[in-house]
Amino acid sequence: MRSAAPIPAYISLGANVGDRAGNIKDALDLLQDRTGLKVAQVSALYENPSVGGPADAPSFLNAAARIETTLEAHDLLHWMLTIEQSLGRTRRVKWEPRPIDLDLLLYGDAIITSEELTIPHPLMHERAFVLKPLAEIAPDVIHPTLQMTIQGLLDSLCAAADVAEVNRDAPVRSV
């Protein structure tokens, strides 16, 4: 664990199996069970078609969260994987339907490339379902390699219209 001041980090949350909204809420609750981690802000839920998986895969609910953490990036990733597993996610086939999907998008302004972790998330700038909820809570945050704001990245995507907000006034969790 880091001993310095907390780092702001951003996580994408998604679910397309079971109680999708409940699974996202449970993941947010479990994130906070770890010492050195606080969920500071959560976007509304957004619904979008499944991307990359089977054609008949159920649609996703997605959200984004800003956390403050003293955990190292790899320790945070491992905690997120533990949460996914505890909520029933098994990794058999890439992009298969899943009860929860947690992706570490940004970790402060760090650029990390390792065998198990790439920060910033390598596909986030191509995914409206990631950028739209993230822009809701962090529009002015700068992508550390592309040097564009999150809102600027979202604006540059044509597919933004494919992501529909579920309920702006009722986020998964009040923070």
Side-chain angles (χ1 to χ4, degrees):
M1 182 184 297
R2 298 175 61 254
S3 60
I7 297 276
Y10 294 89
I11 295 173
S12 176
L13 303 99
N16 72 337
V17 173
D19 178 3
R20 300 174 304 162
N23 293 346
I24 291 171
K25 181 189 181 310
D26 290 347
L28 289 165
D29 290 343
L30 289 168
L31 277 166
Q32 299 215 113
D33 282 351
R34 176 74 185 255
T35 301
L37 197 152
K38 175 187 173 199
V39 176
Q41 191 175 12
V42 179
S43 73
L45 291 174
Y46 294 81
E47 185 161 26
N48 62 277
S50 181
V51 173
D56 61 345
S59 63
F60 269 86
L61 283 185
N62 289 97
R66 179 174 62 86
I67 63 170
E68 296 170 1
T69 186
T70 56
L71 298 175
E72 294 288 346
H74 284 83
D75 293 334
L76 175 56
L77 173 67
H78 293 155
W79 182 239
M80 292 167 53
L81 293 171
T82 298
I83 290 169
E84 286 183 342
Q85 188 175 30
S86 74
L87 293 175
R89 177 154 185 198
T90 55
R91 292 178 181 268
R92 295 178 302 247
V93 177
K94 189 173 187 175
W95 291 326
E96 69 183 336
R98 49 206 173 269
I100 193 69
D101 183 33
L102 302 176
D103 287 320
L104 182 52
L105 303 172
L106 299 167
Y107 181 83
D109 58 1
I111 299 170
I112 301 169
T113 304
S114 74
E115 209 169 289
E116 65 180 348
L117 180 62
T118 302
I119 301 291
H121 188 285
L123 297 175
M124 67 180 278
H125 64 285
E126 300 174 3
R127 296 176 168 174
F129 64 87
V130 170
L131 291 175
K132 191 156 187 176
L134 184 59
E136 178 187 323
I137 63 171
D140 298 324
V141 168
I142 304 289
H143 188 289
T145 57
L146 299 177
Q147 294 300 302
M148 289 178 66
T149 65
I150 299 304
Q151 187 64 55
L153 290 170
L154 176 61
D155 291 345
S156 71
L157 278 182
C158 298
D162 292 341
V163 180
E165 184 175 321
V166 174
N167 185 346
R168 182 171 193 70
D169 298 322
V172 175
R173 175 187 167 98
S174 299
V175 230

